[in-house]
Coordinates of all heavy atoms in Angstrom, one line a residue:
Q1 N -14.6 0.7 -18.3 CA -13.9 -0.2 -19.2 C -13.5 -1.4 -18.4 O -13.4 -1.4 -17.1 CB -12.7 0.4 -19.8 CG -13.0 1.7 -20.7 CD -14.0 1.3 -21.8 OE1 -13.8 0.3 -22.5 NE2 -15.0 2.1 -22.1
P2 N -13.1 -2.5 -19.0 CA -12.7 -3.8 -18.3 C -11.6 -3.5 -17.4 O -11.5 -4.1 -16.3 CB -12.3 -4.7 -19.4 CG -13.2 -4.3 -20.6 CD -13.3 -2.8 -20.5
E3 N -10.7 -2.6 -17.7 CA -9.5 -2.3 -16.8 C -10.0 -1.6 -15.5 O -9.2 -1.5 -14.6 CB -8.5 -1.4 -17.5 CG -9.0 0.0 -17.9 CD -8.1 0.8 -18.8 OE1 -7.7 0.2 -19.9 OE2 -7.7 1.9 -18.4
D4 N -11.2 -1.2 -15.4 CA -11.7 -0.6 -14.2 C -12.3 -1.7 -13.2 O -12.6 -1.4 -12.1 CB -12.9 0.3 -14.5 CG -12.4 1.6 -15.3 OD1 -11.4 2.2 -14.9 OD2 -13.1 1.9 -16.2
T5 N -12.3 -3.0 -13.7 CA -12.7 -4.0 -12.8 C -11.8 -4.1 -11.6 O -10.5 -4.2 -11.7 CB -12.7 -5.3 -13.6 OG1 -13.6 -5.3 -14.6 CG2 -13.0 -6.5 -12.7
A6 N -12.4 -4.1 -10.4 CA -11.6 -4.1 -9.2 C -12.5 -4.1 -8.0 O -13.7 -3.9 -8.1 CB -10.7 -2.8 -9.1
V7 N -12.0 -4.2 -6.8 CA -12.7 -4.0 -5.6 C -12.5 -2.5 -5.2 O -11.4 -2.1 -5.1 CB -12.2 -4.9 -4.4 CG1 -12.9 -4.5 -3.1 CG2 -12.6 -6.3 -4.7
Y8 N -13.6 -1.8 -5.0 CA -13.5 -0.4 -4.7 C -13.7 -0.2 -3.2 O -14.7 -0.7 -2.7 CB -14.5 0.4 -5.5 CG -14.1 0.6 -7.0 CD1 -14.1 -0.6 -7.9 CD2 -13.7 1.8 -7.5 CE1 -13.7 -0.4 -9.2 CE2 -13.3 1.9 -8.8 CZ -13.3 0.8 -9.6 OH -12.9 1.0 -11.0
L9 N -12.8 0.6 -2.6 CA -12.8 0.8 -1.2 C -12.9 2.3 -0.9 O -12.3 3.1 -1.5 CB -11.6 0.1 -0.6 CG -11.4 -1.3 -0.8 CD1 -10.2 -1.4 -1.9 CD2 -11.0 -2.0 0.4
C10 N -13.5 2.6 0.2 CA -13.5 3.9 0.7 C -12.6 4.0 2.0 O -12.4 3.0 2.7 CB -14.9 4.5 1.0 SG -15.8 3.7 2.2
R11 N -12.1 5.2 2.3 CA -11.2 5.3 3.4 C -11.5 6.7 4.0 O -11.8 7.7 3.3 CB -9.7 5.2 3.0 CG -8.7 5.6 4.1 CD -7.4 5.3 3.7 NE -6.9 6.1 2.5 CZ -6.2 7.3 2.6 NH1 -5.9 7.8 3.8 NH2 -5.8 7.9 1.5
T12 N -11.4 6.8 5.3 CA -11.5 8.1 6.0 C -10.3 8.3 6.9 O -9.7 7.3 7.4 CB -12.8 8.2 6.7 OG1 -12.9 9.6 7.2 CG2 -12.8 7.3 8.0
R13 N -9.9 9.5 7.1 CA -8.8 9.8 8.0 C -9.3 10.6 9.2 O -9.9 11.7 8.9 CB -7.7 10.5 7.3 CG -6.5 11.0 8.2 CD -5.3 11.4 7.4 NE -4.6 10.3 6.8 CZ -3.5 9.8 7.4 NH1 -3.0 10.3 8.5 NH2 -2.9 8.7 6.9
I14 N -9.2 10.1 10.3 CA -9.7 10.8 11.6 C -8.6 10.8 12.6 O -8.1 9.8 13.0 CB -10.9 10.1 12.2 CG1 -12.0 10.0 11.1 CG2 -11.4 10.8 13.4 CD1 -13.2 9.1 11.6
Q15 N -8.2 12.0 12.9 CA -7.1 12.2 13.9 C -5.9 11.4 13.5 O -5.3 10.7 14.3 CB -7.5 11.9 15.3 CG -8.7 12.8 15.8 CD -9.1 12.4 17.2 OE1 -9.1 11.3 17.7 NE2 -9.6 13.4 17.9
D16 N -5.5 11.6 12.3 CA -4.3 10.9 11.7 C -4.3 9.5 11.7 O -3.2 8.8 11.6 CB -3.0 11.4 12.5 CG -2.8 12.9 12.4 OD1 -3.1 13.5 11.3 OD2 -2.4 13.6 13.3
R17 N -5.5 8.8 11.7 CA -5.6 7.4 11.7 C -6.6 7.1 10.5 O -7.6 7.7 10.3 CB -6.1 6.8 13.0 CG -6.3 5.3 12.9 CD -6.8 4.8 14.3 NE -7.0 3.3 14.2 CZ -7.4 2.6 15.2 NH1 -7.7 3.2 16.4 NH2 -7.6 1.3 15.1
D18 N -6.2 6.1 9.7 CA -7.0 5.7 8.6 C -7.9 4.5 8.9 O -7.6 3.6 9.7 CB -6.1 5.2 7.4 CG -5.3 6.3 6.8 OD1 -5.9 7.4 6.7 OD2 -4.2 6.1 6.3
Y19 N -9.1 4.6 8.4 CA -10.2 3.6 8.5 C -10.6 3.2 7.1 O -11.0 4.0 6.3 CB -11.3 4.1 9.4 CG -10.9 4.5 10.8 CD1 -10.5 5.7 11.1 CD2 -11.0 3.6 11.8 CE1 -10.1 6.1 12.3 CE2 -10.7 4.0 13.1 CZ -10.2 5.2 13.3 OH -9.8 5.6 14.6
W20 N -10.7 1.9 6.9 CA -11.1 1.3 5.6 C -12.4 0.6 5.6 O -12.7 -0.1 6.6 CB -10.0 0.4 5.1 CG -8.7 1.1 4.8 CD1 -7.7 1.4 5.6 CD2 -8.3 1.5 3.5 NE1 -6.7 2.0 5.0 CE2 -7.0 2.1 3.6 CE3 -8.8 1.5 2.2 CZ2 -6.2 2.6 2.6 CZ3 -8.1 1.9 1.1 CH2 -6.8 2.5 1.3
G21 N -13.1 0.6 4.5 CA -14.3 -0.3 4.4 C -13.8 -1.6 3.8 O -12.6 -1.9 3.5
Q22 N -14.8 -2.5 3.7 CA -14.5 -3.9 3.2 C -14.4 -3.9 1.6 O -13.8 -4.8 1.1 CB -15.6 -4.9 3.6 CG -15.6 -5.1 5.1 CD -14.3 -5.8 5.6 OE1 -13.9 -6.8 5.1 NE2 -13.7 -5.2 6.6
G23 N -15.0 -2.9 1.0 CA -15.0 -2.9 -0.5 C -16.2 -3.5 -1.2 O -16.9 -4.3 -0.6
T24 N -16.4 -3.0 -2.4 CA -17.5 -3.5 -3.2 C -17.0 -3.8 -4.6 O -16.2 -3.0 -5.1 CB -18.6 -2.5 -3.3 OG1 -19.7 -3.1 -4.0 CG2 -18.2 -1.2 -3.9
Q25 N -17.3 -4.9 -5.1 CA -16.8 -5.4 -6.4 C -17.5 -4.7 -7.5 O -18.7 -4.7 -7.7 CB -17.0 -6.9 -6.5 CG -16.5 -7.5 -7.8 CD -15.0 -7.5 -8.0 OE1 -14.3 -7.9 -7.0 NE2 -14.5 -7.1 -9.2

């Protein structure tokens, strides 16, 4: 739905540290 419009990002947690992607629209 239109309300789902956003930048979608993935994240991983490795040894208690977060890493993020740049996102996809």
Side-chain angles (χ1 to χ4, degrees):
Q1 299 299 316
E3 65 190 54
D4 295 313
T5 296
V7 174
Y8 285 71
L9 306 102
C10 63
R11 170 173 67 93
T12 189
R13 175 169 284 263
I14 302 174
Q15 296 181 331
D16 298 322
R17 180 178 178 179
D18 289 329
Y19 300 86
W20 292 84
Q22 294 294 311
T24 184
Q25 176 71 45

